[in-house]
Amino acid sequence: MMLNSTAKSALAFIASFALLVVPLVGRTGDLQNSATGAARLLPAASRLRELPLTAVQIQDPFWSPRLEVNRTRTLEHVYKELELTGCVQNFDLASGKAQGKFGGPWWADSDVYKWIEGASYVLALHPDTQLESKVDGLIAKIAAAQQKDGYLDTYVQLNLPDLKWKSLAFNHEMFCAGSLLEAAVAHHQATGKRSLLEVALRLADHLDSTFGPGKQAGIPGHEEVELALVRLYRLTGEKRYLRLAQYFIDSRGQKPSIFERQYEQLPERQVDLLGHPMSIKDFYRRFFLVNPAKFDTSYSQDQLPAREQRVAVGHAVRAMYLYSGMADLVYESGDSGLWEALQSLHDSVTNHRMYVTGGIGPSERNEGFTADYDLPNENAYQETCASAGMVFWNYRMLKLTGDARYADVMELSLYNALAAGVSLTGDTFCYVTPLASRGDFKRDPWFGVPCCPTTVARFLPALGRYIYSESPDGLWVNLFIAGQVNTKIAGKKVTLQQSGNYPWDGKIKLTVGVDAPQEFVLRVRIPGWAARAEFQLNGEEKLSPRVVNGYAEIRRSWSKGDTVDLTLPIQIQRLEANPQVVYDHGKSALRRGPLIYCLEQADQEAPLEQIILPQGAQLEGQYMPELLGGITVIKGQGLSRPLDDWKSILYRPARTANSSPLPITAVPYCVWGNRGLGKMAVWVDTTP
Amino acid sequence: MMLNSTAKSALAFIASFALLVVPLVGRTGDLQNSATGAARLLPAASRLRELPLTAVQIQDPFWSPRLEVNRTRTLEHVYKELELTGCVQNFDLASGKAQGKFGGPWWADSDVYKWIEGASYVLALHPDTQLESKVDGLIAKIAAAQQKDGYLDTYVQLNLPDLKWKSLAFNHEMFCAGSLLEAAVAHHQATGKRSLLEVALRLADHLDSTFGPGKQAGIPGHEEVELALVRLYRLTGEKRYLRLAQYFIDSRGQKPSIFERQYEQLPERQVDLLGHPMSIKDFYRRFFLVNPAKFDTSYSQDQLPAREQRVAVGHAVRAMYLYSGMADLVYESGDSGLWEALQSLHDSVTNHRMYVTGGIGPSERNEGFTADYDLPNENAYQETCASAGMVFWNYRMLKLTGDARYADVMELSLYNALAAGVSLTGDTFCYVTPLASRGDFKRDPWFGVPCCPTTVARFLPALGRYIYSESPDGLWVNLFIAGQVNTKIAGKKVTLQQSGNYPWDGKIKLTVGVDAPQEFVLRVRIPGWAARAEFQLNGEEKLSPRVVNGYAEIRRSWSKGDTVDLTLPIQIQRLEANPQVVYDHGKSALRRGPLIYCLEQADQEAPLEQIILPQGAQLEGQYMPELLGGITVIKGQGLSRPLDDWKSILYRPARTANSSPLPITAVPYCVWGNRGLGKMAVWVDTTP
């Protein structure tokens, strides 16, 4: 069936409509699913639920090799670097079992926790006694470093013991705490062990006894603990953790800010700022004080109360964690004020401040947001942690609404900005991830601030989490990643097998497994970029499912072996940016399915800066099994600006250029930079 | 007469040619005068000579108001800031006459000297007892601060007395020394007084007794003292100063570098790095050590011996001072190795690393050069001091050759990048000078690093220096700045009056004054941007002067009142950049005469990012006497990209845009940013 378009939200309610066409571009011309008007918050009982990680197996041509590299190479590499840089030893220093100098940045604990979280996901899916004992060893060190009162932050314990919780904008105590809580939940769910969970509970209880109404005022300088507390609440049912998360979110944006009040009490004492000595107060002044009279806390999203925030500001990773925590609270409580804020913030990010790759945060200065449409390419910051944050946040927005507009962004960020964050060999990473390069960019094995490698290590093994969701009446297919899901619907075992060669190909087969015929709704996302989608039941019957919020709903009594064949048109699109993005004037980007493409110098016959992609250029996909792990490249006829008559002249009166034809080849952005140094561009000069 | 074109260098030798056309673009298509092949170093006796500053009066519609603002506003403003920030008091601290904390950056002395230099030029042209006594007062403080051995650098005396001359890459002792020498020469020439000159001579002698063959090894971390020593030599005839300049230039680029050797001996002691504590060794590591194994000294042009340098690298201001010093040595000695290097460096800068405004140094990281064609617009660094340096250097190259290609660049930098460095009110300045702005840029009254305000203060009152030159056989007109020059040729008094309304108009009248008929050559530069130039003698006779290296040579026996009318076609040109400048793809810049134009939001009817300047657009100049001090704007018909159907969409499949006509107005780049915050662009989207 074909899904149409201009009145999508109206059509969504007309199930009997013979011909439904999902828009190539919605009514607004957007590339994402964007039903008219605001997304609707589902009632609590209908909100999408996450399946256990072990319920999902991945056997996917695109992702399986990446997950295998992550498991066999990245995890080990990251562990080695954590050891080499002293991040592991910090726990022994804090417990008094070793002597030495604190290693890594002042939030190094979080990177160890993130590694444990990633390792736990791996253990859940691939039992591995060697890895498990490595994790156990680490947990023993962590537990030994924890104070009796539950406090745990080796940097503060070793360097600033008098400033516990007193310098929240500088120290990352709560970010580390959040990372620990997440790791502990993951570890417990993977192994059934409580060793790390007990540490986390003690720390969470310490947090809860320290902060809150009538106790000390505090908010995280780097958000993360909010969503982690909700996660711990979901595991334990302990409402104090949920309330504490709510307290942290509700306490942002005070006047004067909590950070400002803490700042007044701080000593001028110097600390080591990644190799440079700086006083803590200097750090505050640098990031928060615009001038002595004004404390600007937008860097940490502390400029307004959370429910009054409408525009995405400040450090991009911090913002993603805050918005994710807000979404988790909405999930638990239906908080309409936070939901209203989240919708505006989502509009701010995705319609005004996001790269075409789904990445965010253009500026190195604050590692974050600047102004609407300020999206430079060559010096795009687009931190990998922020790209992961886009997945975290959009996944939560999807769970709240069942609206594919969020799954579209999640897929965009996942397949492009985030996937580009790690090399195909799994041992080098992007911290900064530009959208254009003059040939001097490469991924690095490690960073003084190593958050991105540990983010990759913990993100990828949990990929299964995002593919499917459940609701009381059935199963949701959010992403087209081949493999299988095993679950229960209405108490009865259901499996769904997904096969295909996505994103290279648009044919996806879903095979249902049930013990006995069973009625439920299978909801399948139709990507916003897809001009039309066809559904076929059991290889014969064309289906015309109604489409609600970008999901095709197939409600029937399913029998074992029933198949649904989905055909998405994987076509090449030449994209243009809103003219307010001045950096992309006169340029196009190429998209094929969910993948954004780029031109790398290695594939071209002329210097990259000479290449023009004319309007109307014939472009076609060509699968190259030997190239970059097997990819579909885009080949076509471009134009070459003549350089020969320029010689070494720099400027001259404009004249008409005689461009000559030139074959060009584009590769997916997610695999760029895997062939040594070379020029790259996502946005390519075009002719109007 | 008309001067033509494609075979300019051949034609230059055919004086009798009836129709000589200077190229709109040279054989290479460049906008500068670029005779085929290398410029020729003139024999020593023929090199152009500078006239005393007092020989030149300026009465120019463009420059006189700027000079008056500089004299009446800038000088006072800068002095006040120097006092407020402690830069003046530093001398009292060093002499023990006051107690307190060192003020300003560690080269604050140089800013005081530069102010004295500027004030001296003003005194030379406008006797002013109040200003003179202010200068005298400063000089007394400076003299009192000087050590008995001649050493003088208040920062080092007060903060690092054990490290005199031992940390030359970090401390700016030699930069300050050079600034003092220049100020002293200017002060002596303006007032006849020796008060500051004696201080300078003691310091120069101290330098000479400290550094050189068989003495301590040393080179300036920030060049400047080389050209200053030559200047002192020219005043005093003392050859030691010339030899010392030669020593400093010859000592660059050693392996291991002098800086590297000094680094090994440095303590880790912390110093105040503009408000941030940093160890001196850290400073070295940050700027010079790429990794522990490799010392990269290109930041200070110390990567190679001066005569082996071929590519402009490192800090742009440092580079300009070095190249100027090298040119001064060539002037004095004819050093062919340095001359060869200078020619390559000039090609490197002007044909590969220069903005269309004549500014240089794109990067904030090193305040300097990066790679060929790396010329971003919005984050162009283009420091005002570097723009002044372009004038210093190109002026010296002109004196060596009499080749207008250098005067073309000098004029370009002067009327555009440099003139933009100060507001029309004379009390705010650009340190960084972008070529595009999203509306958040403004000039500031002062900077933690205040070199640019003091550069403006000392540059403008010496503007007369660049307008004319002498050679044994006559007078050269390099710039079209109205006023008068009084000199002697072959011992006889000659005056030349220049009148006109340049750069708004291309008609220039030159009136000769002699006591009795006298033969000499009047050489008049024909700008590289001029498609043709017409000369008329005494309002009647069309002249057909031969053109040598871009200068029309009019040799005759001049009588009192003889006039030469020069007509330059001030036409509007739409420029394009070499396609290797990726930032300018699909864009044009507007030029009218020597002025580069820009679009400011204040003059447009649509948001700047919507405006397209189509090929073939009708453009015309219109003089607006009330606007920005009186300017000729460029008006024309542009196109407006439609924004209405974009709404808040960020990306979409490309479609054909229906642009609508829109009047546009461009203003000279040199006056941008004088009407509050607003968007600006030099390079404007075009249609091919």
Side-chain angles (χ1 to χ4, degrees):
Chain A
M1 109 179 222
M2 286 171 62
L3 300 165
N4 182 356
S5 100
T6 39
K8 184 178 163 200
S9 64
L11 292 183
F13 301 100
I14 309 174
S16 62
F17 221 71
L19 196 71
L20 293 175
V21 181
V22 165
L24 164 64
V25 286
R27 280 181 58 182
T28 54
D30 200 348
L31 276 168
Q32 280 99 246
N33 271 299
S34 47
T36 321
R40 199 170 63 90
L41 179 63
L42 290 171
S46 312
R47 287 174 202 150
L48 277 57
R49 294 195 305 263
E50 182 170 315
L51 290 105
L53 198 57
T54 48
V56 180
Q57 286 99 48
I58 295 175
Q59 282 171 305
D60 184 75
F62 183 89
W63 287 107
S64 289
R66 285 169 167 77
L67 301 188
E68 195 61 8
V69 163
N70 193 73
R71 184 176 74 84
T72 59
R73 183 80 197 96
T74 307
L75 263 190
E76 186 189 333
H77 166 82
V78 168
Y79 184 84
K80 205 173 117 193
E81 292 284 352
L82 289 169
E83 278 205 316
L84 279 173
T85 53
C87 300
V88 170
Q89 198 199 18
N90 291 335
F91 294 96
D92 288 341
L93 303 182
S95 63
K97 290 184 182 141
Q99 298 290 314
K101 191 175 177 301
F102 184 87
W106 59 95
W107 57 90
D109 290 1
S110 70
D111 290 305
V112 175
Y113 302 145
K114 284 160 74 184
W115 183 87
I116 293 178
E117 185 187 346
S120 297
Y121 297 137
V122 167
L123 287 175
L125 302 169
H126 297 263
D128 176 338
T129 52
Q130 207 179 339
L131 180 63
E132 189 166 356
S133 71
K134 200 186 265 185
V135 170
D136 288 342
L138 268 186
I139 292 172
K141 288 173 189 288
I142 294 164
Q146 188 170 35
Q147 294 188 177
K148 280 190 183 149
D149 63 359
Y151 184 90
L152 178 55
D153 184 292
T154 67
Y155 177 79
V156 176
Q157 287 168 257
L158 292 164
N159 296 289
L160 304 166
D162 56 326
L163 292 182
K164 279 170 197 158
W165 308 126
K166 289 184 180 161
S167 175
L168 291 167
F170 172 77
N171 288 322
H172 282 45
E173 291 156 297
M174 291 205 194
F175 178 75
C176 292
S179 301
L180 171 60
L181 269 48
E182 287 213 81
V185 173
H187 182 249
H188 174 69
Q189 288 175 332
T191 63
K193 295 180 184 174
R194 295 185 60 88
S195 51
L196 193 60
L197 184 61
E198 294 295 346
V199 177
L201 291 170
R202 279 195 297 271
L203 178 54
D205 291 341
H206 174 75
L207 272 169
D208 180 52
S209 65
T210 306
F211 295 102
K215 294 172 262 185
Q216 182 178 333
I219 51 171
H222 191 314
E223 301 92 324
E224 143 79 23
V225 75
E226 304 90 332
L227 72 87
L229 282 163
V230 176
R231 202 168 166 190
L232 193 63
Y233 154 72
R234 286 174 182 161
L235 179 76
T236 61
E238 178 56 72
K239 289 229 167 192
R240 285 184 298 123
Y241 303 148
L242 183 63
R243 283 197 297 266
L244 185 58
Q246 180 94 45
Y247 165 78
F248 284 142
I249 283 174
D250 286 348
S251 301
R252 296 199 97 74
Q254 299 181 24
K255 301 279 179 267
S257 150
I258 288 173
F259 299 147
E260 201 170 1
R261 280 137 58 193
Q262 289 200 327
Y263 166 77
E264 299 300 331
Q265 307 299 321
L266 285 174
E268 281 285 355
R269 179 176 349 147
Q270 292 212 345
V271 292
D272 186 274
L273 188 84
L274 302 172
H276 294 293
M278 183 183 271
S279 89
I280 301 180
K281 291 193 94 158
D282 258 350
F283 179 90
Y284 275 74
R285 284 187 282 264
R286 184 160 162 184
F287 285 98
F288 305 121
L289 281 181
V290 175
N291 61 52
K294 187 170 171 289
F295 208 91
D296 178 1
T297 50
S298 63
Y299 175 71
S300 298
Q301 297 79 43
D302 189 32
Q303 80 288 0
L304 282 172
R307 43 178 54 72
E308 292 175 26
Q309 297 195 18
R310 294 291 180 271
V311 175
V313 298
H315 188 267
V317 183
R318 284 168 163 81
M320 292 301 105
Y321 281 113
L322 171 63
Y323 306 161
S324 296
M326 288 163 67
D328 281 344
L329 281 187
V330 174
Y331 193 96
E332 299 302 329
S333 69
D335 187 317
S336 62
L338 289 178
W339 171 238
E340 201 178 320
L342 283 171
Q343 288 179 287
S344 287
L345 291 167
H346 198 266
D347 171 67
S348 173
V349 171
T350 59
N351 292 326
H352 302 84
R353 299 180 173 212
M354 181 180 77
Y355 284 104
V356 72
T357 53
I360 52 169
S363 172
E364 182 179 6
R365 193 190 56 79
N366 65 348
E367 302 193 312
F369 296 107
T370 53
D372 284 352
Y373 306 113
D374 180 32
L375 295 161
N377 292 308
E378 191 162 313
N379 52 343
Y381 201 75
Q382 192 182 232
E383 183 180 337
T384 297
C385 288
S387 302
M390 281 289 279
V391 177
F392 297 154
W393 179 35
N394 280 281
Y395 171 59
R396 285 163 168 83
M397 297 294 277
L398 170 64
K399 285 168 66 187
L400 291 176
T401 59
D403 195 318
R405 73 177 77 185
Y406 303 112
D408 283 349
V409 180
M410 179 171 84
E411 182 182 64
L412 180 72
S413 303
L414 173 65
Y415 277 86
N416 299 286
L418 178 58
V422 56
S423 63
L424 291 173
T425 51
D427 52 3
T428 58
F429 308 88
C430 294
Y431 192 115
V432 177
T433 322
L435 274 78
S437 172
R438 288 180 23 247
D440 51 359
F441 182 86
K442 64 176 181 55
R443 293 183 184 83
D444 283 316
W446 201 247
F447 305 90
V449 172
C451 51
C452 293
T454 57
T455 288
V456 168
R458 83 169 179 131
F459 181 92
L460 283 179
L463 179 65
R465 170 187 293 165
Y466 307 102
I467 306 173
Y468 307 97
S469 299
E470 288 183 320
S471 59
D473 62 351
L475 197 60
W476 302 62
V477 180
N478 306 318
L479 295 174
F480 303 109
I481 297 179
Q484 185 168 311
V485 57
N486 306 297
T487 186
K488 284 186 177 176
I489 297 175
K492 292 176 190 158
K493 280 210 288 189
V494 174
T495 65
L496 185 74
Q497 192 162 23
Q498 186 181 163
S499 62
N501 191 23
Y502 191 87
W504 315 121
D505 186 88
K507 289 186 193 308
I508 291 132
K509 185 185 283 291
L510 302 168
T511 306
V512 174
V514 285
D515 290 339
Q518 186 182 351
E519 187 176 322
F520 63 86
V521 185
L522 181 65
R523 291 183 176 83
V524 182
R525 171 175 151 261
I526 300 168
W529 52 260
R532 52 183 213 171
E534 291 180 7
F535 287 91
Q536 210 174 20
L537 183 68
N538 293 327
E540 296 168 350
E541 186 190 345
K542 288 216 169 193
L543 287 178
S544 304
R546 76 170 189 164
V547 178
V548 179
N549 294 332
Y551 278 81
E553 294 188 353
I554 309 173
R555 179 189 300 271
R556 58 177 269 121
S557 178
W558 298 93
S559 301
K560 182 173 181 172
D562 275 353
T563 60
V564 172
D565 288 295
L566 165 64
T567 304
L568 296 171
I570 302 266
Q571 287 164 339
I572 298 165
Q573 294 174 330
R574 201 167 60 94
L575 306 184
E576 62 179 353
N578 187 308
Q580 294 181 83
V581 185
V582 295
Y583 310 97
D584 300 339
H585 279 184
K587 296 177 194 294
S588 306
L590 292 173
R591 178 170 180 143
R592 183 177 183 275
L595 295 181
I596 299 297
Y597 278 67
C598 66
L599 263 57
E600 282 200 290
Q601 187 60 64
D603 303 305
Q604 318 308 329
E605 294 178 9
L608 207 55
E609 62 274 14
Q610 280 179 255
I611 295 176
I612 297 170
L613 176 65
Q615 192 179 30
Q618 288 301 309
L619 299 166
E620 59 179 32
Q622 185 179 327
Y623 188 71
M624 310 276 277
E626 303 300 321
L627 186 63
L628 294 165
I631 55 169
T632 296
V633 301
I634 296 176
K635 285 190 172 284
Q637 195 72 5
L639 293 172
S640 169
R641 300 170 196 274
L643 263 189
D644 49 340
D645 64 337
W646 273 92
K647 298 194 181 70
S648 72
I649 300 307
L650 198 43
Y651 307 106
R652 70 180 185 192
R655 53 178 84 157
T656 305
N658 296 310
S659 306
S660 47
L662 179 85
I664 58 170
T665 301
V667 299
Y669 177 72
C670 61
V671 295
W672 86 276
N674 277 286
R675 291 176 288 178
L677 297 179
K679 297 178 205 164
M680 183 276 291
V682 170
W683 290 96
V684 182
D685 292 331
T686 190
T687 56
Chain B
M1 110 180 220
M2 286 171 61
L3 299 164
N4 182 347
S5 89
T6 38
K8 182 179 162 199
S9 65
L11 292 183
F13 299 100
I14 309 173
S16 61
F17 222 72
L19 197 72
L20 291 175
V21 182
V22 165
L24 165 64
V25 285
R27 280 182 56 182
T28 54
D30 199 350
L31 277 168
Q32 281 98 247
N33 271 300
S34 48
T36 323
R40 199 169 64 91
L41 178 63
L42 290 170
S46 312
R47 287 172 203 151
L48 277 58
R49 294 196 306 263
E50 183 169 315
L51 289 105
L53 199 56
T54 47
V56 180
Q57 286 100 48
I58 294 175
Q59 282 171 304
D60 184 74
F62 184 89
W63 286 108
S64 289
R66 286 169 167 77
L67 301 189
E68 194 61 7
V69 163
N70 193 74
R71 184 176 74 85
T72 60
R73 182 82 197 96
T74 307
L75 262 192
E76 186 188 333
H77 167 82
V78 167
Y79 184 83
K80 205 172 118 194
E81 292 285 352
L82 289 169
E83 277 206 316
L84 278 173
T85 53
C87 299
V88 170
Q89 199 200 17
N90 291 335
F91 293 97
D92 289 340
L93 303 182
S95 63
K97 291 185 183 140
Q99 298 290 316
K101 192 175 176 302
F102 185 87
W106 58 95
W107 57 90
D109 290 0
S110 69
D111 290 304
V112 175
Y113 302 144
K114 284 159 73 184
W115 183 87
I116 293 176
E117 185 186 347
S120 297
Y121 297 138
V122 167
L123 287 175
L125 302 169
H126 297 263
D128 176 337
T129 52
Q130 207 179 340
L131 180 62
E132 190 166 355
S133 72
K134 200 187 263 184
V135 170
D136 288 342
L138 268 186
I139 292 172
K141 288 173 189 286
I142 293 164
Q146 187 170 34
Q147 293 188 177
K148 280 190 185 152
D149 63 358
Y151 183 90
L152 178 56
D153 183 293
T154 67
Y155 177 79
V156 175
Q157 287 168 257
L158 291 164
N159 296 288
L160 304 166
D162 57 325
L163 292 183
K164 280 170 197 158
W165 307 128
K166 288 184 180 161
S167 175
L168 291 167
F170 171 78
N171 289 321
H172 282 45
E173 291 155 298
M174 292 205 194
F175 178 74
C176 293
S179 300
L180 172 61
L181 269 46
E182 287 212 81
V185 172
H187 182 250
H188 175 68
Q189 288 175 331
T191 64
K193 295 180 184 173
R194 296 185 59 89
S195 51
L196 193 60
L197 183 61
E198 294 295 345
V199 177
L201 291 170
R202 280 194 295 272
L203 178 54
D205 291 342
H206 175 75
L207 272 168
D208 180 52
S209 65
T210 306
F211 297 101
K215 295 173 261 184
Q216 183 178 334
I219 52 171
H222 191 312
E223 302 91 324
E224 143 78 23
V225 75
E226 304 90 332
L227 72 86
L229 282 163
V230 176
R231 202 169 166 189
L232 193 63
Y233 155 72
R234 286 175 182 160
L235 180 76
T236 62
E238 178 56 73
K239 290 229 167 190
R240 285 184 297 122
Y241 303 148
L242 183 64
R243 282 197 298 266
L244 185 57
Q246 180 94 43
Y247 165 78
F248 284 141
I249 283 176
D250 286 346
S251 301
R252 296 199 97 75
Q254 299 181 24
K255 301 278 181 267
S257 150
I258 289 173
F259 299 146
E260 199 169 3
R261 279 138 58 194
Q262 289 200 326
Y263 166 78
E264 299 300 331
Q265 307 298 321
L266 284 174
E268 281 285 355
R269 179 179 346 149
Q270 291 211 347
V271 292
D272 186 274
L273 188 84
L274 301 172
H276 294 293
M278 184 183 271
S279 89
I280 302 181
K281 292 194 92 157
D282 258 350
F283 179 91
Y284 275 73
R285 282 187 283 265
R286 185 160 159 183
F287 285 98
F288 305 121
L289 281 181
V290 175
N291 62 51
K294 188 170 169 292
F295 209 90
D296 178 1
T297 50
S298 62
Y299 175 70
S300 299
Q301 298 79 41
D302 189 33
Q303 79 287 0
L304 281 171
R307 45 179 53 72
E308 291 174 28
Q309 298 196 18
R310 294 291 181 271
V311 175
V313 298
H315 188 268
V317 183
R318 283 168 163 81
M320 291 302 105
Y321 280 113
L322 171 62
Y323 307 161
S324 296
M326 288 163 67
D328 281 344
L329 281 186
V330 174
Y331 192 96
E332 300 302 330
S333 69
D335 187 318
S336 62
L338 289 179
W339 171 239
E340 201 178 319
L342 282 172
Q343 288 179 286
S344 287
L345 291 167
H346 199 267
D347 172 67
S348 172
V349 171
T350 59
N351 292 325
H352 302 84
R353 299 180 173 211
M354 180 181 77
Y355 284 104
V356 72
T357 54
I360 53 169
S363 172
E364 182 180 5
R365 192 191 57 77
N366 64 348
E367 300 192 313
F369 296 106
T370 54
D372 284 353
Y373 307 113
D374 180 32
L375 295 160
N377 292 308
E378 191 161 314
N379 51 343
Y381 201 74
Q382 194 183 230
E383 184 181 337
T384 297
C385 289
S387 302
M390 282 289 280
V391 176
F392 298 153
W393 179 34
N394 279 282
Y395 170 59
R396 285 163 168 82
M397 297 293 277
L398 169 64
K399 284 169 66 187
L400 291 175
T401 59
D403 194 317
R405 74 177 77 183
Y406 303 112
D408 284 348
V409 179
M410 180 171 83
E411 182 183 66
L412 180 72
S413 303
L414 173 65
Y415 276 87
N416 300 286
L418 177 58
V422 57
S423 63
L424 291 173
T425 52
D427 52 4
T428 59
F429 309 87
C430 294
Y431 191 114
V432 177
T433 322
L435 274 78
S437 172
R438 287 178 26 246
D440 51 359
F441 181 86
K442 64 175 180 56
R443 293 183 184 82
D444 284 316
W446 201 246
F447 306 90
V449 172
C451 50
C452 293
T454 56
T455 287
V456 168
R458 82 168 179 131
F459 181 90
L460 284 179
L463 178 65
R465 170 186 294 166
Y466 307 102
I467 306 173
Y468 307 97
S469 300
E470 288 183 320
S471 60
D473 61 351
L475 197 59
W476 302 62
V477 179
N478 307 317
L479 296 174
F480 303 109
I481 297 179
Q484 186 168 312
V485 57
N486 307 297
T487 186
K488 285 186 178 177
I489 296 174
K492 293 177 191 156
K493 279 210 288 187
V494 173
T495 67
L496 186 74
Q497 192 163 23
Q498 186 181 163
S499 61
N501 191 24
Y502 191 85
W504 315 121
D505 186 87
K507 289 187 195 306
I508 292 132
K509 185 185 285 291
L510 302 169
T511 306
V512 174
V514 284
D515 290 338
Q518 187 182 351
E519 186 175 325
F520 63 86
V521 185
L522 181 65
R523 290 183 176 84
V524 181
R525 171 176 150 258
I526 300 167
W529 51 260
R532 52 182 213 171
E534 291 180 8
F535 286 91
Q536 211 174 19
L537 183 67
N538 293 328
E540 298 167 348
E541 187 190 346
K542 288 218 170 193
L543 288 177
S544 303
R546 77 170 190 163
V547 178
V548 179
N549 294 333
Y551 279 80
E553 293 188 355
I554 310 174
R555 180 189 299 271
R556 58 176 269 119
S557 177
W558 298 93
S559 300
K560 182 173 181 173
D562 275 353
T563 61
V564 172
D565 288 295
L566 164 64
T567 304
L568 296 171
I570 302 266
Q571 287 164 341
I572 298 165
Q573 294 174 330
R574 200 167 61 94
L575 306 184
E576 62 179 353
N578 188 307
Q580 294 180 85
V581 185
V582 295
Y583 310 98
D584 300 339
H585 279 183
K587 295 178 195 297
S588 305
L590 293 173
R591 177 169 181 144
R592 183 177 183 275
L595 295 181
I596 300 297
Y597 278 66
C598 67
L599 263 58
E600 282 201 290
Q601 188 60 65
D603 303 304
Q604 318 307 329
E605 295 179 9
L608 206 57
E609 62 274 14
Q610 280 179 255
I611 295 176
I612 297 170
L613 175 64
Q615 192 177 30
Q618 288 301 308
L619 299 166
E620 58 180 32
Q622 185 179 326
Y623 188 70
M624 311 275 278
E626 303 299 320
L627 187 62
L628 294 164
I631 55 169
T632 296
V633 301
I634 296 176
K635 286 191 171 284
Q637 195 73 4
L639 293 172
S640 168
R641 300 169 197 274
L643 263 189
D644 49 341
D645 64 338
W646 274 92
K647 299 195 180 68
S648 72
I649 301 308
L650 198 44
Y651 307 105
R652 71 180 185 193
R655 52 177 84 158
T656 304
N658 297 309
S659 306
S660 45
L662 179 85
I664 58 170
T665 301
V667 298
Y669 177 72
C670 60
V671 294
W672 87 276
N674 277 286
R675 291 176 287 178
L677 296 179
K679 297 177 204 165
M680 182 277 289
V682 169
W683 289 97
V684 182
D685 292 331
T686 191
T687 56

